Amino acid sequence: PEAFNADGTLADHADGEKITEKIERLKTKYRLKVWIERDPLGFIWDYFFSKPACMLNWVWIWLPAPGLYLTLRFISRLNLLLCVCSAALSGFLRKKRDIMLWLGGTYVLNIYILAMSFASERYAAMFVPLRYMITGIGLYLALELISERRATHAAADSSR
């Protein structure tokens, strides 16, 4: 009532934006309710598996450049593979597990939180540094393992 003039037009443009936001929120809640009622397994699959998986594999760049996009996508997938290998190495060696769990948990939790509302590569990009940290720790562990093995072999060779 106060948001409208006597002729029925909006008194303030900001009020119109608020009304539009409320309408969009209601429509979204309705769509989600209908989706859950009609296909609950599809809803669960989409929100807990499909959207987070997309955010793990997407690459975001400002300008459309197919060659650059494909290169960055390859690097992103390679980095994801190295993250998984780094986490496995950390668990296997029983070293740096606390920091790996913290970094990995922070990454996965944030991906899931964002996937609930914004499944977009632009938002997932802000957590890529966590993946590079995990990969860096894995590289450190791999180099440490190689160094220890070389030292063991060198000691065994010198004792012969």
Side-chain angles (χ1 to χ4, degrees):
E2 297 172 4
F4 297 97
N5 295 325
D7 62 352
T9 59
L10 282 171
D12 185 14
H13 184 65
D15 290 333
E17 290 176 5
K18 290 177 188 174
I19 292 169
T20 302
E21 286 177 22
K22 287 180 182 179
I23 291 169
E24 291 301 319
R25 212 172 297 128
L26 286 171
K27 288 189 326 189
T28 301
K29 286 181 182 180
Y30 176 75
R31 279 194 309 265
L32 289 173
K33 180 182 172 191
V34 169
W35 185 9
I36 292 169
E37 288 172 359
R38 288 184 183 168
D39 186 16
L41 292 177
F43 176 82
I44 290 170
W45 175 259
D46 195 54
Y47 274 86
F48 288 98
F49 299 103
S50 182
K51 285 184 173 190
C54 287
M55 291 182 75
L56 289 174
N57 291 316
W58 282 350
V59 175
W60 183 68
I61 55 176
W62 276 100
L63 301 172
L68 178 61
Y69 177 80
L70 292 174
T71 302
L72 290 175
R73 187 166 181 164
F74 172 76
I75 291 169
S76 177
R77 288 185 175 185
L78 177 63
N79 178 253
L80 183 60
L81 175 68
L82 291 173
C83 281
V84 171
C85 292
S86 296
L89 183 63
S90 175
F92 177 72
L93 296 177
R94 298 178 186 266
K95 294 181 177 180
K96 305 287 184 196
R97 288 189 296 176
D98 52 347
I99 190 70
M100 290 294 254
L101 283 172
W102 187 83
L103 288 171
T106 301
Y107 179 73
V108 170
L109 180 66
N110 279 291
I111 289 295
Y112 268 99
I113 289 170
L114 277 174
M116 294 297 158
S117 53
F118 303 106
S120 169
E121 66 273 11
R122 181 171 65 181
Y123 299 109
M126 50 187 168
F127 299 111
V128 171
L130 291 171
R131 284 177 32 178
Y132 286 107
M133 286 182 224
I134 291 169
T135 302
I137 293 169
L139 179 61
Y140 166 78
L141 291 173
L143 292 174
E144 188 178 66
L145 180 64
I146 292 167
S147 176
E148 288 172 3
R149 298 238 175 170
R150 282 188 176 171
T152 304
H153 289 306
D157 289 342
S158 66
S159 66
R160 286 188 206 180

mmCIF file of all heavy atoms in Angstrom, residues 92-93 142-156:
data_model
loop_
_atom_site.group_PDB
_atom_site.id
_atom_site.type_symbol
_atom_site.label_atom_id
_atom_site.label_comp_id
_atom_site.label_asym_id
_atom_site.label_seq_id
_atom_site.Cartn_x
_atom_site.Cartn_y
_atom_site.Cartn_z
ATOM 1 N N PHE A 92 48.854 -42.804 3.007
ATOM 2 C CA PHE A 92 49.723 -43.980 2.954
ATOM 3 C C PHE A 92 50.980 -43.794 3.799
ATOM 4 O O PHE A 92 51.383 -44.682 4.540
ATOM 5 C CB PHE A 92 50.089 -44.289 1.500
ATOM 6 C CG PHE A 92 51.038 -45.431 1.336
ATOM 7 C CD1 PHE A 92 50.623 -46.741 1.554
ATOM 8 C CD2 PHE A 92 52.360 -45.203 0.971
ATOM 9 C CE1 PHE A 92 51.504 -47.798 1.411
ATOM 10 C CE2 PHE A 92 53.251 -46.256 0.830
ATOM 11 C CZ PHE A 92 52.825 -47.555 1.054
ATOM 12 N N LEU A 93 51.594 -42.627 3.681
ATOM 13 C CA LEU A 93 52.832 -42.346 4.427
ATOM 14 C C LEU A 93 52.572 -41.934 5.877
ATOM 15 O O LEU A 93 53.507 -41.859 6.671
ATOM 16 C CB LEU A 93 53.634 -41.246 3.728
ATOM 17 C CG LEU A 93 54.176 -41.557 2.341
ATOM 18 C CD1 LEU A 93 54.873 -40.334 1.762
ATOM 19 C CD2 LEU A 93 55.122 -42.748 2.381
ATOM 20 N N ALA A 142 56.247 -36.648 -1.990
ATOM 21 C CA ALA A 142 56.838 -37.530 -3.002
ATOM 22 C C ALA A 142 58.347 -37.326 -3.068
ATOM 23 O O ALA A 142 59.112 -38.297 -3.119
ATOM 24 C CB ALA A 142 56.203 -37.272 -4.364
ATOM 25 N N LEU A 143 58.807 -36.086 -3.056
ATOM 26 C CA LEU A 143 60.251 -35.809 -3.087
ATOM 27 C C LEU A 143 60.943 -36.308 -1.818
ATOM 28 O O LEU A 143 62.054 -36.829 -1.880
ATOM 29 C CB LEU A 143 60.502 -34.315 -3.287
ATOM 30 C CG LEU A 143 60.106 -33.758 -4.655
ATOM 31 C CD1 LEU A 143 60.258 -32.239 -4.679
ATOM 32 C CD2 LEU A 143 60.911 -34.411 -5.760
ATOM 33 N N GLU A 144 60.278 -36.169 -0.692
ATOM 34 C CA GLU A 144 60.825 -36.676 0.565
ATOM 35 C C GLU A 144 60.954 -38.199 0.525
ATOM 36 O O GLU A 144 61.965 -38.755 0.958
ATOM 37 C CB GLU A 144 59.912 -36.248 1.719
ATOM 38 C CG GLU A 144 60.462 -36.537 3.086
ATOM 39 C CD GLU A 144 59.528 -36.035 4.172
ATOM 40 O OE1 GLU A 144 58.403 -36.578 4.301
ATOM 41 O OE2 GLU A 144 59.932 -35.104 4.903
ATOM 42 N N LEU A 145 59.950 -38.867 -0.022
ATOM 43 C CA LEU A 145 59.982 -40.323 -0.145
ATOM 44 C C LEU A 145 61.118 -40.772 -1.067
ATOM 45 O O LEU A 145 61.872 -41.692 -0.739
ATOM 46 C CB LEU A 145 58.643 -40.844 -0.669
ATOM 47 C CG LEU A 145 58.504 -42.341 -0.864
ATOM 48 C CD1 LEU A 145 58.625 -43.077 0.463
ATOM 49 C CD2 LEU A 145 57.175 -42.663 -1.532
ATOM 50 N N ILE A 146 61.271 -40.097 -2.197
ATOM 51 C CA ILE A 146 62.348 -40.418 -3.138
ATOM 52 C C ILE A 146 63.704 -40.198 -2.475
ATOM 53 O O ILE A 146 64.618 -41.031 -2.594
ATOM 54 C CB ILE A 146 62.219 -39.581 -4.432
ATOM 55 C CG1 ILE A 146 60.973 -40.027 -5.210
ATOM 56 C CG2 ILE A 146 63.471 -39.678 -5.283
ATOM 57 C CD1 ILE A 146 60.580 -39.082 -6.331
ATOM 58 N N SER A 147 63.847 -39.113 -1.757
ATOM 59 C CA SER A 147 65.103 -38.801 -1.079
ATOM 60 C C SER A 147 65.438 -39.867 -0.030
ATOM 61 O O SER A 147 66.590 -40.305 0.074
ATOM 62 C CB SER A 147 64.996 -37.428 -0.421
ATOM 63 O OG SER A 147 66.146 -37.128 0.302
ATOM 64 N N GLU A 148 64.442 -40.275 0.746
ATOM 65 C CA GLU A 148 64.669 -41.314 1.759
ATOM 66 C C GLU A 148 65.062 -42.636 1.109
ATOM 67 O O GLU A 148 65.952 -43.331 1.603
ATOM 68 C CB GLU A 148 63.412 -41.503 2.611
ATOM 69 C CG GLU A 148 63.133 -40.373 3.564
ATOM 70 C CD GLU A 148 61.785 -40.498 4.254
ATOM 71 O OE1 GLU A 148 61.067 -41.512 4.031
ATOM 72 O OE2 GLU A 148 61.433 -39.572 5.007
ATOM 73 N N ARG A 149 64.402 -42.988 0.021
ATOM 74 C CA ARG A 149 64.729 -44.242 -0.666
ATOM 75 C C ARG A 149 66.142 -44.199 -1.241
ATOM 76 O O ARG A 149 66.864 -45.183 -1.176
ATOM 77 C CB ARG A 149 63.708 -44.522 -1.766
ATOM 78 C CG ARG A 149 62.319 -44.686 -1.226
ATOM 79 C CD ARG A 149 61.779 -45.983 -1.588
ATOM 80 N NE ARG A 149 60.486 -46.120 -0.922
ATOM 81 C CZ ARG A 149 59.663 -47.070 -1.167
ATOM 82 N NH1 ARG A 149 59.963 -47.970 -2.063
ATOM 83 N NH2 ARG A 149 58.532 -47.168 -0.521
ATOM 84 N N ARG A 150 66.512 -43.067 -1.808
ATOM 85 C CA ARG A 150 67.870 -42.937 -2.355
ATOM 86 C C ARG A 150 68.910 -43.050 -1.247
ATOM 87 O O ARG A 150 69.951 -43.679 -1.414
ATOM 88 C CB ARG A 150 68.030 -41.614 -3.099
ATOM 89 C CG ARG A 150 67.413 -41.639 -4.458
ATOM 90 C CD ARG A 150 67.772 -40.395 -5.220
ATOM 91 N NE ARG A 150 67.235 -40.480 -6.563
ATOM 92 C CZ ARG A 150 67.241 -39.487 -7.417
ATOM 93 N NH1 ARG A 150 67.770 -38.317 -7.074
ATOM 94 N NH2 ARG A 150 66.734 -39.629 -8.615
ATOM 95 N N ALA A 151 68.629 -42.423 -0.112
ATOM 96 C CA ALA A 151 69.560 -42.486 1.018
ATOM 97 C C ALA A 151 69.674 -43.927 1.520
ATOM 98 O O ALA A 151 70.786 -44.389 1.851
ATOM 99 C CB ALA A 151 69.103 -41.565 2.134
ATOM 100 N N THR A 152 68.573 -44.644 1.576
ATOM 101 C CA THR A 152 68.582 -46.043 2.021
ATOM 102 C C THR A 152 69.382 -46.902 1.060
ATOM 103 O O THR A 152 70.197 -47.733 1.482
ATOM 104 C CB THR A 152 67.137 -46.579 2.138
ATOM 105 O OG1 THR A 152 66.399 -45.732 3.009
ATOM 106 C CG2 THR A 152 67.106 -47.990 2.668
ATOM 107 N N HIS A 153 69.161 -46.709 -0.250
ATOM 108 C CA HIS A 153 69.896 -47.478 -1.253
ATOM 109 C C HIS A 153 71.386 -47.127 -1.245
ATOM 110 O O HIS A 153 72.240 -48.002 -1.409
ATOM 111 C CB HIS A 153 69.313 -47.274 -2.657
ATOM 112 C CG HIS A 153 67.986 -47.932 -2.850
ATOM 113 N ND1 HIS A 153 67.771 -49.268 -2.595
ATOM 114 C CD2 HIS A 153 66.794 -47.433 -3.264
ATOM 115 C CE1 HIS A 153 66.510 -49.573 -2.851
ATOM 116 N NE2 HIS A 153 65.882 -48.467 -3.245
ATOM 117 N N ALA A 154 71.704 -45.858 -1.045
ATOM 118 C CA ALA A 154 73.105 -45.427 -1.000
ATOM 119 C C ALA A 154 73.799 -46.035 0.207
ATOM 120 O O ALA A 154 74.949 -46.480 0.129
ATOM 121 C CB ALA A 154 73.201 -43.932 -0.970
ATOM 122 N N ALA A 155 73.117 -46.087 1.344
ATOM 123 C CA ALA A 155 73.695 -46.674 2.561
ATOM 124 C C ALA A 155 73.898 -48.171 2.367
ATOM 125 O O ALA A 155 74.909 -48.738 2.801
ATOM 126 C CB ALA A 155 72.803 -46.404 3.749
ATOM 127 N N ALA A 156 72.935 -48.823 1.713
ATOM 128 C CA ALA A 156 73.046 -50.269 1.468
ATOM 129 C C ALA A 156 74.187 -50.558 0.498
ATOM 130 O O ALA A 156 74.930 -51.537 0.662
ATOM 131 C CB ALA A 156 71.733 -50.816 0.928
#
